[in-house]
Amino acid sequence: MNVMARAQSSPSTSVGAMPPAPSRVFASDNVAGAHPLVLEALVAANADHVLAYGNDPFTFRAEHAFNEVFGRDVRTLFVYGGTGANVLALASVLQPAECVVCTNWSHINVDETGAPEKILGAKLLDLACPDAKLTPDHIRSVAHALGNPHHAQPAVVSLTQPTELGTLYTPAEVRAICDTAHELGMLVHMDAARIGNATAALGASRSALRAFTVDAGVDVLSFGGTKAGNVFGEAVVWFDPRRATRAEYLRKNVTQLHSKMRFISAQYEALLANDLFIELGRRANAAAMGLYEATKQHAVLGLTTPPAVNSLFPTLPDPAKSRLQEWSFFWDWDVAAQQVRWMTAWDVTQDDVAQFAAGVGAALNG
Amino acid sequence: MNVMARAQSSPSTSVGAMPPAPSRVFASDNVAGAHPLVLEALVAANADHVLAYGNDPFTFRAEHAFNEVFGRDVRTLFVYGGTGANVLALASVLQPAECVVCTNWSHINVDETGAPEKILGAKLLDLACPDAKLTPDHIRSVAHALGNPHHAQPAVVSLTQPTELGTLYTPAEVRAICDTAHELGMLVHMDAARIGNATAALGASRSALRAFTVDAGVDVLSFGGTKAGNVFGEAVVWFDPRRATRAEYLRKNVTQLHSKMRFISAQYEALLANDLFIELGRRANAAAMGLYEATKQHAVLGLTTPPAVNSLFPTLPDPAKSRLQEWSFFWDWDVAAQQVRWMTAWDVTQDDVAQFAAGVGAALNG
Amino acid sequence: MNVMARAQSSPSTSVGAMPPAPSRVFASDNVAGAHPLVLEALVAANADHVLAYGNDPFTFRAEHAFNEVFGRDVRTLFVYGGTGANVLALASVLQPAECVVCTNWSHINVDETGAPEKILGAKLLDLACPDAKLTPDHIRSVAHALGNPHHAQPAVVSLTQPTELGTLYTPAEVRAICDTAHELGMLVHMDAARIGNATAALGASRSALRAFTVDAGVDVLSFGGTKAGNVFGEAVVWFDPRRATRAEYLRKNVTQLHSKMRFISAQYEALLANDLFIELGRRANAAAMGLYEATKQHAVLGLTTPPAVNSLFPTLPDPAKSRLQEWSFFWDWDVAAQQVRWMTAWDVTQDDVAQFAAGVGAALNG
Amino acid sequence: MNVMARAQSSPSTSVGAMPPAPSRVFASDNVAGAHPLVLEALVAANADHVLAYGNDPFTFRAEHAFNEVFGRDVRTLFVYGGTGANVLALASVLQPAECVVCTNWSHINVDETGAPEKILGAKLLDLACPDAKLTPDHIRSVAHALGNPHHAQPAVVSLTQPTELGTLYTPAEVRAICDTAHELGMLVHMDAARIGNATAALGASRSALRAFTVDAGVDVLSFGGTKAGNVFGEAVVWFDPRRATRAEYLRKNVTQLHSKMRFISAQYEALLANDLFIELGRRANAAAMGLYEATKQHAVLGLTTPPAVNSLFPTLPDPAKSRLQEWSFFWDWDVAAQQVRWMTAWDVTQDDVAQFAAGVGAALNG
């Protein structure tokens, strides 16, 4: 039985005098459903027969929408899920005996059950980064392996934006990493499963998005869809289409080619229209900021810094922690440090935030 | 550019006096959308927050529905796509240095871009089978490799039901293969991407389904969803849950774990309710049979045998073939043999069939 | 227990009036030891400290010797074994989602326990070739898959010279295959584990060797050592060193980098000096031809064609077969067809041949 | 060009008044050749025809010798090289979606060019261990991943004995790790490429060897041969033969099955006879200790602790470092820390040590 099942089946013991629980939980951003406009687009795509595997007008339009977002002819391939997006992106730019440079916190390293090593057949060179952010010095620190046949060759740097700790790379930080990587002959992948949150936080515009991706020198991007408001479906974007020559074959080779492709494409069309993905990221970020403002007065939580995007990592000792989790579930983050994670989805309201904050207060004072 | 893109961009040359083209095409069964009841279920699942990764009531209900269908406690895992389902199923029952026995026609061998070899790291021992069906003798023919350390060890037999040539294994045929495999220490996987079509053809009931799967000795089943009427989502079913002990980890390890799992589960719940998947298979089969009846009089087509399920493989020389493809697209099957494939989806009507048959007649006589 | 162990432990039943068994057996060419000159070179290399991994004078000289043999600057890497040589050669020229075209008889397909699929992560597209030889038409027959994202992309043709059935490609046949492959954008690998035998049969000179390898357009060559008279050690030769840019890393990546490299290099230096490998191939071939001449009068054996290199595949029914195997062991080849294999090593003498042939006669007439 | 080639081709600049360089270098223990008794055994094995792949009396005897060494019926398989031994050992005890726990210094993690990830398809969970030694707490620290389908499942702990930093695990330390691992359902692999050095340092007897391997609970052992005095060849030992059921197939599956097996087996027979491997380890250790004693007075070297086995890691700034490397080559270890590595092979004499120490003094005082 996994931890999630354990969590859910935990007995509902006495909770004392708690206020009503909010309608939405702060467990993750994948506990939310799809945005109505996205769902409408999916439903509308269900009309006629169209050819499978992306040879359909929905996909042509969605690909075009990505060109518009990035202001150039990019290569976009739609896939099923986030792990698949990362694996496809990395597979497209790795050669045998090469390795991927990432942080010890990175999703590809920690949360994908070894899929990258299995499918890429490649080492992940995970570097200890207390704040989950790589720097040019990190990249330089692995360069000694280049040319040494006893070491897997560092070839791709993988950044997560926002990071797994809810922090952000500025455009200048991304650019410095890309410059260093390129000087050393490496390429740069960005895992942006929460790209809406990052964009909202860094300027909330297409130019803000471009600033920390294509303009900063990123080569291949996992452009998140599911956490952003899709039912399912992720996108991989190559800024130089020549890097994607093998990608179309690789997509099926890594089990990520959907036959009824229109259903992913239609969702992305809706998600990009009017920058909906940025707006939804903004809402989630605002909910997290609201929660921060509403709970920072509890010193025990240690919330000294406002969230950059949509997650908080408060310290929360028992019994308050258990009472709160039973009342409105969220995940432990670091049990030894008594740290938990509160994360907001695109649909969390300020009412939800207020109710949750009230519960936090009640649990702490209970 | 791939063949599908080429197909779609082919110039529309003069087509002569053709009748109006049908609303639906006979290119494949993945050109159709989702069934309304399935789509409704997906939309209805979009209400509240639920935990991700399958710890939700939709998934619990859908898992239970699979137990009901098979009349026992099976283990069911939902995945994104058909290649992923096959890879997960095979990975769960293969050990290193083992290989998979299949036909030269099998989807895993021909149409999955090498995903099985890549992700399983295993050989597919593909046997030449003119009718795309394995027999006990085929299984026995590879047994000489058992115990010889120079040969990959045959460990899993993979059947496709219905086969890639539109033929069927009877329950007795499946049982004979399973018995032989089990005697030799091998397990049996069935790739049933078109399980509704197979079930409709073999009795159109749950007991008919059980007869050619669990009752016949199949160990692990890819239970198709997308072709059956889903937006996306496939299921893998282990009849002995002890064979699935590693499967939950493997699912993410092969990139096939969806976070918003409820959306797949809800579709399956709708697809299994009132045996909808059997009814949709029946419709597609009936459309193919209707097309057979309406075109068999054209001797050139060589349609001497009625279709077992939802595909016909007529011989169709140019210029009739090209005229027809421009008018209502379908795929070439074997160019050298001038053979094409007509395949019906669950939503093809008898009107579509009549219109298509009229076009065939016009093209042949044109 | 594997077949070889079974073979060796078979009880020595009564053998009737058989002549004395020969000192050497006809089971394979890897039952022989190393040639004295090769062994001397290995022993002589054991003098001083030298740097590991090939940065030593023995390796520099051996690499130079390969340049001399092929009349150009090739890239040569030494590895441990034959399967490793093939895997390294193929890995160096394959991209993800590509596949290898070979015959159904090929050693990589049948006799390497799935190592190519496992380590390359790639499909072997094995074509049915009754005489174990590919033709340009075979190559063309798989070209339909090129550009289709549902199929693994044929990228490398792998030939075995001499073939697993003891037949040979002429230089013109190799050239025709290479030309076709190159036209289609594929490369050509030659598995020449028995390169001395092939060279001896096709002209017995360096120019003869070049004619069926580099001059014919082969891109990468597994240049056999162990069967040719080494203790251990194989070589991989890239005729265009630019194709080998990743090979040095791949060698360790596939577990084939020896630290005390001098011991392989010194053996190859001896094997190439004065074309010793050709002379040893010639001897083995002559022994096989001698055996053919000495046994072809037994019609039951079906030896209607003289051997091209060092193997014969006679038909030999029981009880004669079993009597002979107990007297002087050799392997079954195709049990159903009552076919066995007699194979000669470099050290088999005409006395051995005469004694073995006498035994054959006795067993058949016994 | 790799670092070793660069090293060797470095220009010989003026070296001042250095004493004569020793005959043997302190670059590594793989710069030495084979021990005369081992080489004699290899040469003696070159007599007759024997069956290939281990069905020969040399291999039967060597397998028996391993049973004698460990005092029980173990399963021993001979392979070509050290990376291959580790990969085979790990492959035999890993399931898909599992991972290997090791230190950040481990040879499998750093020095095998990604072969484990590539061939196992598994993550190496490398833990930061300043002294290159794992503890039970390290093992417990990864146990949180067990049962969580988002994480690769820790299944095998891999220890290196002696470690890559020249330190040792005591038998009690190994036992504590094994007990913890087994409690958590994990197995333990020991990479003992320098097993002779470890055994010599921990008691210099078979019982000493058993104390830190089989008696301590190790499940599978890479029993080094090449560094111990072989020409080539390593051994993998399973203490419970039931864990090796798939190993024989895996050996060829990972390219590590030698056809002329007798040549590896004969060397091991010589290496185990009269505990030669322990004696050679003792000599190398003694040489390192001698070098320590002869150089520790140079404070700049920072040699405050005598070596546990056969390596020293002195601090050596330029220009002394470069002068010494040009005079008698050795490798940099940590350039940033100005640290180098001196390592002794089995054949280094006290004269070599004295001469090298004299050179060190001259370079430091020059």
Side-chain angles (χ1 to χ4, degrees):
Chain A
M1 194 166 71
N2 68 55
V3 293
M4 306 197 80
R6 274 204 302 276
Q8 195 163 73
S9 65
S10 61
S12 183
T13 59
S14 66
V15 182
M18 294 290 287
S23 304
R24 292 172 194 83
V25 295
F26 294 74
S28 184
D29 41 11
N30 54 31
V31 299
H35 187 270
L37 289 174
V38 169
L39 194 58
E40 270 177 37
L42 183 151
V43 170
N46 197 41
D48 300 312
H49 275 196
V50 300
L51 283 185
Y53 302 113
N55 293 287
D56 66 77
F58 302 91
T59 303
F60 299 151
R61 287 201 305 269
E63 288 171 350
H64 183 70
F66 272 98
N67 292 344
E68 294 288 313
V69 163
F70 289 107
R72 73 194 60 204
D73 283 352
V74 302
R75 181 81 171 101
T76 305
L77 290 180
F78 300 107
V79 298
Y80 286 120
T83 295
N86 289 336
V87 165
L88 172 58
L90 293 171
S92 73
V93 289
L94 268 186
Q95 292 289 309
E98 293 184 343
C99 67
V100 177
V101 183
C102 60
T103 80
N104 58 322
W105 293 98
S106 61
H107 198 268
I108 56 172
N109 186 49
V110 176
D111 293 308
E112 301 187 351
T113 320
E117 287 91 343
K118 164 113 160 195
I119 299 180
L120 303 171
K123 173 182 286 299
L124 301 190
L125 198 57
D126 60 311
L127 304 179
C129 300
D131 60 350
K133 288 174 64 176
L134 290 169
T135 65
D137 281 350
H138 284 117
I139 316 306
R140 281 185 211 106
S141 77
V142 303
H144 70 92
L146 292 169
N148 184 330
H150 300 282
H151 302 324
Q153 298 292 292
V156 183
V157 176
S158 181
L159 308 175
T160 311
Q161 172 82 320
T163 72
E164 291 77 7
L165 294 179
T167 55
L168 285 165
Y169 291 93
T170 66
E173 287 172 335
V174 176
R175 185 179 303 112
I177 289 168
C178 292
D179 286 350
T180 305
H182 293 156
E183 272 169 36
L184 291 166
M186 305 180 198
L187 297 177
V188 178
H189 164 247
M190 179 176 277
D191 173 4
R194 296 186 173 101
I195 199 160
N197 306 284
T199 305
L202 288 166
S205 67
R206 293 187 173 201
S207 63
L209 168 61
R210 294 174 193 171
F212 71 80
T213 56
V214 60
D215 294 348
V218 169
D219 296 289
V220 57
L221 175 70
S222 297
F223 190 113
T226 309
K227 291 170 195 287
N230 276 356
V231 168
F232 77 111
E234 306 282 314
V236 182
V237 180
W238 288 262
F239 295 118
D240 180 346
R242 288 171 299 182
R243 300 230 178 272
T245 45
R246 303 212 59 74
E248 194 176 7
Y249 307 103
L250 277 166
R251 179 167 50 175
K252 192 157 196 181
N253 183 248
V254 302
T255 77
Q256 288 289 320
L257 175 62
H258 189 36
S259 57
K260 296 182 173 177
M261 186 67 79
R262 57 168 132 171
F263 289 117
I264 303 179
S265 312
Q267 292 180 79
Y268 261 107
E269 208 185 343
L271 203 59
L272 298 191
N274 303 309
D275 295 345
L276 177 61
F277 72 103
I278 306 180
E279 167 60 15
L280 298 186
R282 194 197 58 73
R283 287 189 208 167
N285 294 356
M289 183 62 82
L291 184 57
Y292 168 76
E293 294 293 344
T295 58
K296 69 180 177 186
Q297 75 273 17
H298 305 298
V300 64
L301 300 176
L303 292 174
T304 53
T305 321
V309 283
N310 65 328
S311 53
L312 296 169
F313 297 85
T315 308
L316 191 54
D318 266 324
K321 190 199 78 162
S322 298
R323 288 187 65 190
L324 268 172
Q325 286 176 323
E326 285 165 23
W327 171 76
S328 178
F329 184 72
F330 50 87
W331 293 104
D332 289 330
W333 181 254
D334 180 336
V335 171
Q338 299 189 311
Q339 208 174 15
V340 302
R341 188 186 72 173
W342 296 338
M343 180 170 266
T344 54
W346 63 268
D347 63 351
V348 170
T349 66
Q350 293 297 338
D351 276 358
D352 295 322
V353 167
Q355 283 180 280
F356 189 77
V360 171
L364 287 174
N365 302 322
Chain B
M1 194 166 74
N2 68 54
V3 293
M4 306 198 77
R6 273 204 303 276
Q8 194 162 76
S9 66
S10 61
S12 183
T13 58
S14 66
V15 182
M18 293 291 286
S23 304
R24 293 173 195 81
V25 296
F26 294 74
S28 184
D29 40 12
N30 54 31
V31 299
H35 187 270
L37 289 173
V38 169
L39 193 59
E40 269 176 38
L42 183 152
V43 170
N46 197 41
D48 300 313
H49 275 197
V50 300
L51 284 185
Y53 302 114
N55 293 287
D56 66 78
F58 302 92
T59 304
F60 300 151
R61 287 202 304 269
E63 288 171 351
H64 182 70
F66 271 98
N67 291 344
E68 294 289 313
V69 163
F70 289 108
R72 72 193 64 200
D73 281 353
V74 301
R75 181 80 172 103
T76 304
L77 289 180
F78 300 107
V79 297
Y80 285 121
T83 296
N86 288 337
V87 166
L88 172 58
L90 293 171
S92 73
V93 289
L94 267 185
Q95 292 290 307
E98 293 183 344
C99 67
V100 177
V101 183
C102 59
T103 80
N104 59 321
W105 292 98
S106 62
H107 198 267
I108 55 171
N109 186 50
V110 177
D111 292 308
E112 300 187 351
T113 320
E117 288 92 343
K118 164 112 161 198
I119 298 180
L120 303 172
K123 173 182 286 300
L124 300 190
L125 198 57
D126 60 310
L127 305 179
C129 302
D131 59 351
K133 287 174 65 176
L134 289 168
T135 65
D137 281 350
H138 284 117
I139 315 306
R140 280 186 212 107
S141 76
V142 302
H144 71 92
L146 292 169
N148 184 330
H150 301 282
H151 302 324
Q153 298 294 293
V156 183
V157 176
S158 181
L159 309 175
T160 311
Q161 170 83 317
T163 73
E164 293 78 5
L165 293 179
T167 54
L168 284 165
Y169 290 93
T170 66
E173 288 172 334
V174 177
R175 184 178 304 114
I177 290 169
C178 292
D179 286 350
T180 305
H182 292 158
E183 271 169 38
L184 292 165
M186 306 181 198
L187 298 176
V188 178
H189 165 247
M190 178 175 278
D191 174 5
R194 296 186 173 99
I195 198 161
N197 305 284
T199 306
L202 288 166
S205 68
R206 293 186 174 201
S207 63
L209 168 61
R210 294 174 194 172
F212 71 80
T213 57
V214 60
D215 294 348
V218 169
D219 296 288
V220 56
L221 174 71
S222 297
F223 189 113
T226 309
K227 292 172 195 286
N230 277 358
V231 169
F232 76 111
E234 305 281 315
V236 181
V237 180
W238 288 262
F239 294 118
D240 180 348
R242 289 171 299 183
R243 300 232 178 270
T245 47
R246 302 212 60 73
E248 193 176 8
Y249 307 101
L250 277 166
R251 178 166 54 173
K252 191 158 197 179
N253 183 249
V254 303
T255 80
Q256 288 290 320
L257 175 62
H258 188 37
S259 57
K260 297 183 174 177
M261 186 68 80
R262 57 168 132 172
F263 290 118
I264 303 180
S265 313
Q267 292 180 79
Y268 261 107
E269 208 185 342
L271 204 58
L272 299 191
N274 303 310
D275 295 346
L276 176 61
F277 72 103
I278 306 178
E279 165 61 14
L280 299 187
R282 194 198 56 74
R283 290 189 208 167
N285 293 356
M289 184 62 82
L291 184 58
Y292 168 77
E293 294 293 344
T295 58
K296 68 179 180 188
Q297 75 275 18
H298 305 296
V300 63
L301 299 177
L303 293 174
T304 54
T305 321
V309 282
N310 66 326
S311 52
L312 297 169
F313 297 86
T315 308
L316 191 54
D318 267 323
K321 189 199 78 162
S322 298
R323 287 187 65 190
L324 267 173
Q325 285 177 323
E326 286 164 22
W327 170 75
S328 178
F329 182 73
F330 51 84
W331 294 104
D332 289 332
W333 181 255
D334 181 336
V335 172
Q338 298 189 312
Q339 207 173 14
V340 301
R341 187 187 72 174
W342 295 338
M343 179 170 266
T344 54
W346 64 267
D347 63 350
V348 170
T349 65
Q350 293 297 338
D351 275 359
D352 295 322
V353 167
Q355 282 181 278
F356 189 77
V360 171
L364 288 174
N365 303 324
Chain C
M1 192 167 74
N2 68 54
V3 294
M4 306 197 79
R6 275 204 300 274
Q8 196 164 71
S9 65
S10 61
S12 186
T13 57
S14 65
V15 185
M18 293 291 286
S23 304
R24 293 171 195 83
V25 296
F26 293 74
S28 183
D29 41 12
N30 53 31
V31 298
H35 187 269
L37 289 174
V38 169
L39 194 59
E40 269 176 36
L42 183 152
V43 170
N46 197 42
D48 300 313
H49 275 198
V50 300
L51 283 184
Y53 302 113
N55 292 286
D56 67 77
F58 301 91
T59 304
F60 299 151
R61 287 201 304 267
E63 288 171 350
H64 182 71
F66 271 97
N67 291 345
E68 294 288 313
V69 163
F70 289 108
R72 72 194 61 203
D73 282 352
V74 300
R75 181 81 171 101
T76 305
L77 289 180
F78 300 107
V79 296
Y80 286 121
T83 296
N86 289 337
V87 166
L88 172 58
L90 293 170
S92 72
V93 290
L94 268 186
Q95 292 290 307
E98 293 184 341
C99 67
V100 177
V101 183
C102 59
T103 79
N104 58 323
W105 293 97
S106 62
H107 198 268
I108 56 172
N109 186 50
V110 177
D111 293 308
E112 301 188 351
T113 321
E117 287 91 344
K118 163 112 161 198
I119 299 180
L120 303 171
K123 174 182 285 300
L124 301 190
L125 199 57
D126 60 310
L127 305 179
C129 301
D131 59 351
K133 288 173 65 176
L134 290 168
T135 64
D137 280 351
H138 284 118
I139 315 305
R140 281 186 210 106
S141 76
V142 302
H144 71 93
L146 292 168
N148 184 330
H150 301 283
H151 303 323
Q153 298 293 294
V156 183
V157 176
S158 182
L159 309 175
T160 310
Q161 171 82 321
T163 73
E164 292 78 6
L165 293 180
T167 55
L168 285 165
Y169 291 94
T170 66
E173 287 172 334
V174 177
R175 186 178 302 113
I177 289 169
C178 292
D179 286 350
T180 305
H182 292 156
E183 272 169 37
L184 292 166
M186 305 181 199
L187 298 178
V188 177
H189 164 246
M190 179 176 279
D191 173 4
R194 297 188 172 99
I195 199 162
N197 305 284
T199 306
L202 288 166
S205 67
R206 293 186 173 201
S207 63
L209 168 62
R210 293 174 194 173
F212 71 80
T213 57
V214 61
D215 294 348
V218 169
D219 295 290
V220 56
L221 176 70
S222 296
F223 189 113
T226 307
K227 291 172 194 287
N230 277 356
V231 168
F232 77 111
E234 306 281 313
V236 181
V237 180
W238 290 262
F239 294 118
D240 180 346
R242 288 170 301 183
R243 299 231 179 269
T245 47
R246 302 213 59 75
E248 194 177 6
Y249 307 102
L250 278 165
R251 179 167 51 174
K252 191 157 197 180
N253 183 250
V254 302
T255 79
Q256 289 289 320
L257 175 61
H258 188 38
S259 57
K260 296 183 174 177
M261 186 68 80
R262 57 168 132 170
F263 290 117
I264 303 180
S265 311
Q267 292 180 78
Y268 261 108
E269 207 185 343
L271 204 58
L272 298 190
N274 303 310
D275 294 346
L276 176 61
F277 73 103
I278 306 179
E279 166 60 14
L280 299 187
R282 193 196 58 71
R283 288 190 208 167
N285 294 356
M289 184 61 83
L291 184 58
Y292 169 76
E293 294 293 345
T295 58
K296 67 179 179 187
Q297 76 274 17
H298 306 297
V300 64
L301 299 176
L303 292 174
T304 54
T305 322
V309 282
N310 65 327
S311 52
L312 296 169
F313 297 85
T315 308
L316 190 56
D318 265 324
K321 189 198 80 161
S322 298
R323 288 187 65 190
L324 267 173
Q325 286 177 322
E326 286 165 23
W327 171 75
S328 178
F329 184 72
F330 51 86
W331 294 103
D332 289 332
W333 182 255
D334 181 337
V335 170
Q338 298 189 312
Q339 206 173 14
V340 300
R341 188 187 73 175
W342 296 337
M343 179 169 267
T344 54
W346 64 267
D347 62 351
V348 171
T349 65
Q350 292 298 338
D351 274 359
D352 294 323
V353 168
Q355 284 181 278
F356 189 77
V360 172
L364 289 174
N365 302 324
Chain D
M1 194 166 75
N2 68 54
V3 293
M4 306 198 76
R6 274 205 301 276
Q8 195 163 75
S9 65
S10 62
S12 184
T13 59
S14 67
V15 182
M18 292 292 284
S23 304
R24 291 173 195 81
V25 296
F26 293 74
S28 183
D29 42 10
N30 55 30
V31 299
H35 187 270
L37 289 174
V38 170
L39 194 60
E40 269 175 38
L42 183 151
V43 170
N46 197 42
D48 299 312
H49 275 196
V50 300
L51 283 185
Y53 301 113
N55 292 287
D56 66 77
F58 301 91
T59 303
F60 299 151
R61 286 201 305 267
E63 289 171 350
H64 183 70
F66 271 97
N67 291 346
E68 295 287 314
V69 163
F70 289 107
R72 73 194 61 203
D73 281 352
V74 301
R75 182 80 171 102
T76 304
L77 289 180
F78 300 107
V79 297
Y80 286 122
T83 296
N86 288 336
V87 166
L88 172 58
L90 293 170
S92 72
V93 289
L94 269 185
Q95 292 290 308
E98 294 184 341
C99 67
V100 178
V101 182
C102 58
T103 80
N104 59 322
W105 292 98
S106 63
H107 198 269
I108 57 173
N109 186 49
V110 178
D111 293 308
E112 301 188 350
T113 320
E117 287 92 344
K118 165 110 161 198
I119 298 180
L120 303 172
K123 174 182 285 299
L124 301 190
L125 199 56
D126 59 312
L127 305 179
C129 302
D131 59 350
K133 287 173 65 177
L134 289 169
T135 65
D137 280 350
H138 283 117
I139 314 308
R140 281 186 210 106
S141 76
V142 303
H144 71 92
L146 292 169
N148 184 329
H150 301 282
H151 302 324
Q153 298 294 293
V156 183
V157 176
S158 181
L159 309 175
T160 311
Q161 172 83 317
T163 73
E164 292 77 7
L165 293 179
T167 54
L168 285 164
Y169 291 94
T170 65
E173 288 172 334
V174 176
R175 184 178 303 115
I177 290 169
C178 292
D179 286 350
T180 306
H182 293 157
E183 271 169 37
L184 292 165
M186 307 182 197
L187 298 178
V188 178
H189 165 245
M190 178 175 280
D191 174 4
R194 296 186 174 100
I195 199 162
N197 305 283
T199 306
L202 287 166
S205 67
R206 292 186 174 201
S207 63
L209 168 62
R210 294 175 193 170
F212 71 81
T213 56
V214 61
D215 293 347
V218 169
D219 296 290
V220 56
L221 175 71
S222 297
F223 189 113
T226 308
K227 291 172 196 287
N230 276 357
V231 168
F232 76 110
E234 306 281 314
V236 181
V237 180
W238 289 261
F239 294 119
D240 180 347
R242 289 169 300 182
R243 299 232 178 270
T245 46
R246 302 212 58 74
E248 193 175 9
Y249 308 102
L250 277 165
R251 179 165 53 173
K252 192 158 196 180
N253 183 250
V254 302
T255 79
Q256 289 289 319
L257 174 62
H258 188 38
S259 58
K260 296 182 174 177
M261 186 68 80
R262 58 167 131 170
F263 289 118
I264 303 180
S265 312
Q267 291 180 79
Y268 261 107
E269 207 185 343
L271 204 58
L272 297 191
N274 304 310
D275 294 345
L276 177 62
F277 73 101
I278 306 179
E279 166 61 14
L280 298 187
R282 193 197 58 73
R283 288 189 207 167
N285 294 357
M289 184 61 83
L291 184 58
Y292 168 76
E293 294 293 344
T295 58
K296 69 180 178 186
Q297 75 274 18
H298 305 296
V300 64
L301 299 176
L303 292 173
T304 53
T305 321
V309 283
N310 65 327
S311 53
L312 296 169
F313 297 86
T315 310
L316 191 54
D318 265 323
K321 188 198 80 163
S322 298
R323 286 187 66 190
L324 268 173
Q325 285 177 322
E326 286 165 21
W327 171 75
S328 179
F329 184 73
F330 51 86
W331 293 102
D332 289 332
W333 181 254
D334 181 335
V335 171
Q338 299 189 312
Q339 207 173 16
V340 300
R341 188 187 72 175
W342 295 338
M343 180 170 265
T344 53
W346 63 268
D347 62 351
V348 171
T349 65
Q350 292 297 338
D351 275 358
D352 294 323
V353 168
Q355 281 180 281
F356 189 76
V360 171
L364 288 173
N365 303 324

